[in-house]
Amino acid sequence: AIKKKLMEQTGFETRLFQVNLRLSVDKQMGGGIEQKMNRIRAIDGVTVVGHEETQSMAGKQTIEAKVKFHPESDSVRPTTYVTQVLVPEINSSKLVPGVKVIDVIKGSLKRLDK
């Protein structure tokens, strides 16, 4: 329904991608894991964030997050969006406190709308 609405508004198809990120989550900062995922969802272009918990050590947790996104502009390549928008925004302690991107999972970036 959202995709249809976007097509009606813009007249062209929105490119949708997914990338997996390994995140370090500090449990003492910025609320629970769902609050942190909601803050990532608030980043421009991000549509869905899902996660799997992997391991926990000394108050920090490592999770793998699946982030679906659509770059605002067709001229922005998905890899550019991930490295210049998504990762810096997540790593910004103001926007998503207590979360740092450890790694962009190699080979996980894929286009979903084709």
Side-chain angles (χ1 to χ4, degrees):
I2 293 170
K3 192 172 177 183
K4 188 173 178 216
K5 189 170 172 62
L6 280 170
M7 282 185 69
E8 286 168 6
Q9 287 174 348
T10 57
F12 60 88
E13 207 172 315
T14 303
R15 303 173 308 147
L16 187 64
F17 300 91
Q18 176 177 302
V19 69
N20 292 13
L21 303 174
R22 192 166 293 119
L23 304 176
S24 167
V25 179
D26 186 335
K27 294 178 181 173
Q28 276 87 49
M29 281 178 67
I33 196 81
E34 283 308 313
Q35 286 169 295
K36 291 176 171 81
M37 295 298 115
N38 284 336
R39 287 171 179 239
I40 294 172
R41 276 183 204 100
I43 296 170
D44 276 345
V46 173
T47 57
V48 178
V49 181
H51 71 285
E52 290 168 18
E53 299 190 13
T54 44
Q55 65 224 53
S56 194
M57 268 169 48
K60 286 205 194 293
Q61 191 176 16
T62 304
I63 63 169
E64 189 169 315
K66 282 186 176 156
V67 181
K68 293 182 183 173
F69 64 93
H70 58 89
E72 298 292 301
S73 156
D74 279 340
S75 62
V76 175
R77 295 179 55 199
T79 47
T80 305
Y81 174 85
V82 170
T83 57
Q84 294 183 1
V85 178
L86 189 61
V87 172
E89 296 262 329
I90 292 172
N91 285 342
S92 149
S93 58
K94 276 205 282 294
L95 196 64
V96 191
V99 178
K100 291 278 177 254
V101 176
I102 302 169
D103 196 17
V104 176
I105 311 280
K106 293 237 178 295
S108 70
L109 180 63
K110 59 186 180 217
R111 188 158 181 175
L112 299 174
D113 62 343
K114 286 284 174 214

